[in-house]
Amino acid sequence: MAVFVALGAFLMTLAGGWTALRVTDRRHLVLGLAGGLMLGVVGLDLLPEALDAAGTEVFGVPAALLLFVAGFLLAHMMERLLAGRQAAHGAEETGPRAGRAPEVGLTAAAAMVGHSAMDGVAIGAAFQVGGGMGTAVALAVVAHDFADGFNTYTITSLYGNARRRALAMLFADAAAPVVGAASTVFLTIPEGVLGGYLGLFGGALLYLAAAEILPEAHHEHPARSTLLCTVAGVAFIWLVVGLAG
């Protein structure tokens, strides 16, 4: 049952990526929406789950929040290091993507794939607890996997990766929940480890949304419609979290 439900997440992820692919003529709106979706996922979904799962404190601060900050800083340092290496090797890219290393987009997309795999694990674990719990978790995962697919394709392509790479990461992200759900037959991830991972991933995702996606969205089209798309993205995630609760 868990794997069957994860197939729904597979299709929803592909639908999100297809949407991001088809609306390239409104790129600023796509990026504005992606930024809002990412902000909503981090603030309303990932971080609360991380705090619940990894509630222990380290020197007066919840471990999940420390890892959240660490994830933000790691994403920043990785981008700067890769961009510096690209410049040192004589890369001369111009335009809004100048100085952006494609590896950053691939790494961020790989983190999205890891997150989707954890979604599949959550579906499998919830169905082990009971059918009602499994259904609730599955609905939440399937609903926000549209945003995951949308963001995975957008992040990969934003950093200058070819379309085939963006599509490959999209398909990997779509397959990840199925693999994660199937893995629950053989293993159980400790709650504290899962919470720490969510905190770290949330910090990295917030950096990409705030420092890359949203500034790019407003770079050439500082329109109200772009801002409205960002707000709509946050509101959509809030709706999904509320319905799942």
Side-chain angles (χ1 to χ4, degrees):
M1 183 62 182
V3 176
F4 177 76
V5 170
L7 290 174
F10 173 87
L11 296 175
M12 190 64 77
T13 302
L14 291 181
W18 180 85
T19 302
L21 171 65
R22 296 296 296 176
V23 292
T24 53
D25 57 330
R26 294 289 184 269
R27 186 169 175 270
H28 59 292
L29 300 180
V30 171
L31 293 174
L33 180 62
L37 291 171
M38 292 166 71
L39 177 59
V41 167
V42 172
L44 307 178
D45 186 16
L46 290 181
L47 198 53
E49 287 186 23
L51 288 169
D52 286 341
T56 57
E57 292 190 353
V58 179
F59 203 62
V61 178
L65 288 182
L66 287 175
L67 287 166
F68 176 79
V69 174
F72 189 97
L73 292 175
L74 281 173
H76 177 57
M77 288 188 292
M78 180 186 304
E79 185 191 30
R80 292 297 91 205
L81 288 172
L82 289 174
R85 188 182 69 178
Q86 188 181 42
H89 283 77
E92 296 182 354
E93 187 177 7
T94 59
R97 297 182 186 181
R100 291 183 175 173
E103 295 90 343
V104 175
L106 291 176
T107 302
M112 295 292 293
V113 173
H115 169 58
S116 294
M118 292 301 102
D119 282 345
V121 171
I123 292 175
F127 272 103
Q128 290 178 5
V129 173
M133 174 68 73
T135 301
V137 172
L139 286 174
V141 169
V142 170
H144 90 249
D145 271 351
F146 179 89
D148 284 351
F150 191 98
N151 290 335
T152 298
Y153 184 87
T154 301
I155 290 172
T156 308
S157 57
L158 176 67
Y159 279 83
N161 289 285
R163 177 178 292 189
R164 59 181 178 81
R165 285 189 175 183
L167 289 174
M169 296 308 298
L170 173 62
F171 276 98
D173 188 50
V178 181
V179 175
S183 71
T184 57
V185 178
F186 309 103
L187 58 88
T188 301
I189 299 178
E191 187 177 27
V193 174
L194 180 59
Y197 166 79
L198 291 176
L200 188 71
F201 172 63
L205 201 61
L206 180 63
Y207 173 81
L208 292 172
E212 298 294 333
I213 301 291
L214 291 177
E216 179 74 9
H218 292 276
H219 177 68
E220 296 180 355
H221 297 275
R224 291 181 181 177
S225 56
T226 306
L227 179 59
L228 288 175
C229 283
T230 302
V231 174
V234 176
F236 174 76
I237 298 300
W238 186 13
L239 177 64
V240 169
V241 172
L243 292 176

